Amino acid sequence: MKTKIILPLLLVAAALMQSCVSNKKYAELQTNYNNLQTKQTELKQSYDLTQRELEGSKTRVKSLEEQIESEKANRAALQDALNKCLAGNNQGNVNIAKLADQISASNNYIKELIAAKGKSDSLNMVLTNNLTRSLSQAEMKDVDVQVLKGVVYISLSDNMLYNSGSYEISDRAGETLSKIAKIIKDYADYDVLIEGNTDNVPIKQQNIRNNWDLSALRASSVVQALQNTYAVDPKRLTAGGRGEYNPVADNSTDDGKMKNRRTQIIITPKLDQFMDLIGKPVQK
């Protein structure tokens, strides 16, 4: 009689143990799945960031390559003129020497452009990578970093920076601004322009006449925060407002208006030789 009672109890216990093991295994699999999902999201965000950086680099490289090709064409024309002079033997030594000097100057100009291009690319990519690595995933939703034609653009949403309808810096902006300030201080040879932008919705408040005022006041608030709170040298800073006149999206939609309400921190390397070369013609 006891044997008949014990056997069913053992079967029930075995079934319960099997159930526990299955639940534990399921929980482990669910955790692994969640971790993989998180990793996939992080990889996608990293990929998107890399693609944006690549597009900016392509634009910058194309601009400088066009200048290099133009100078090569100029050099070829000068060489052709020199060859004609030598072949004709009708031009004086002064003209020939002048053409030779122009060819030499053109060659040096091309070399300087190539060197400046490489230096600018390297500096800007290091700065951009250091900044994006310091920002959290949550911060990256409100911060857009791009490199265009040798200049670093950090675009900050007004929802993150300011209290609603105000030009006062919000508490939640502090941590992000501190990271940007560190990058600015690490790269002491860079100038920094803070540029305020708004949507096209008119505003009129006490001491704020219009969107020009609002954009300039917001830029000034960021400049003063960088100077007074994060000890950035004010001699490197410039504040400017562009009102509603520099949109990046259509103001006819709420999403477009949100994108246009932004503050840009524009970081430009003090590469004197590079900036001089961009606008300096070869001396004739």
Side-chain angles (χ1 to χ4, degrees):
M1 186 67 176
K2 289 183 178 179
T3 301
K4 291 179 179 181
I5 294 172
I6 292 171
L7 185 57
L9 291 174
L10 290 174
L11 292 173
V12 171
L16 289 173
M17 290 178 64
Q18 181 64 34
S19 176
C20 291
V21 171
S22 298
N23 288 339
K24 182 178 180 182
K25 185 65 176 178
Y26 173 79
E28 291 177 354
L29 290 172
Q30 184 65 43
T31 299
N32 290 338
Y33 174 77
N34 292 339
N35 291 338
L36 288 172
Q37 288 288 93
T38 301
K39 186 64 176 178
Q40 182 183 14
T41 300
E42 292 175 351
L43 289 173
K44 177 63 165 59
Q45 292 171 339
S46 177
Y47 172 80
D48 291 341
L49 175 61
T50 301
Q51 286 296 102
R52 292 197 299 270
E53 291 176 351
L54 178 60
E55 288 304 314
S57 297
K58 286 180 178 178
T59 300
R60 188 171 66 259
V61 168
K62 182 179 179 181
S63 174
L64 287 169
E65 285 178 345
E66 287 174 353
Q67 293 181 64
I68 291 170
E69 289 304 314
S70 175
E71 284 308 310
K72 287 182 177 178
N74 181 52
R75 179 182 63 184
L78 290 171
Q79 184 67 55
D80 183 61
L82 176 60
N83 291 339
K84 289 179 180 179
C85 283
L86 293 173
N89 266 332
N90 293 323
Q91 298 293 328
N93 291 332
V94 174
N95 288 337
I96 293 175
K98 183 177 180 181
L99 282 170
D101 289 342
Q102 289 176 342
I103 292 171
S104 177
S106 180
N107 285 334
N108 291 334
Y109 184 44
I110 291 172
K111 291 177 182 178
E112 290 173 352
L113 273 175
I114 293 172
K117 169 181 172 291
K119 187 174 183 180
S120 176
D121 287 351
S122 299
L123 286 172
N124 284 321
M125 290 308 296
V126 170
L127 183 153
T128 303
N129 289 336
N130 286 347
L131 176 59
T132 52
R133 286 172 186 164
S134 71
L135 297 174
S136 67
Q137 293 299 327
E139 288 172 317
M140 287 301 294
K141 295 178 182 178
D142 294 309
V143 180
D144 180 53
V145 183
Q146 296 186 33
V147 178
L148 299 174
K149 296 183 179 180
V151 179
V152 178
Y153 293 84
I154 306 170
S155 187
L156 308 173
S157 70
D158 72 328
N159 291 334
M160 184 272 290
L161 270 180
Y162 312 105
N163 296 317
S164 179
S166 170
Y167 55 86
E168 299 295 336
I169 301 294
S170 67
D171 293 337
R172 66 185 290 250
E175 185 174 353
T176 303
L177 280 180
S178 69
K179 294 175 181 178
I180 295 173
K182 183 181 184 305
I183 294 295
I184 292 173
K185 289 194 289 186
D186 286 344
Y187 293 84
D189 290 332
Y190 284 56
D191 283 328
V192 184
L193 167 63
I194 314 300
E195 182 182 274
N197 295 269
T198 70
D199 58 27
N200 65 347
V201 178
I203 182 171
K204 190 170 184 180
Q205 297 181 8
Q206 186 176 6
N207 299 325
I208 302 179
R209 295 169 295 182
N210 48 42
N211 284 331
W212 279 113
D213 279 359
L214 179 61
S215 63
L217 286 168
R218 285 183 165 180
S220 178
S221 292
V222 174
V223 163
Q224 293 181 67
L226 291 174
Q227 174 188 352
N228 300 327
T229 306
Y230 305 108
V232 176
D233 184 357
K235 294 178 182 178
R236 300 173 54 198
L237 301 173
T238 302
R242 301 194 68 175
E244 64 198 68
Y245 301 104
N246 185 36
V248 293
D250 189 349
N251 272 313
S252 65
T253 67
D254 290 339
D255 183 61
K257 287 185 175 71
M258 182 179 67
K259 291 178 180 178
N260 290 331
R261 295 191 302 268
R262 70 200 189 281
T263 296
Q264 285 190 309
I265 298 178
I266 303 171
I267 305 176
T268 308
K270 290 182 180 177
L271 298 176
D272 294 336
Q273 70 276 28
F274 172 69
M275 300 309 293
D276 288 343
L277 288 171
I278 294 301
K280 181 184 70 176
V282 178
Q283 293 182 354
K284 302 296 183 182

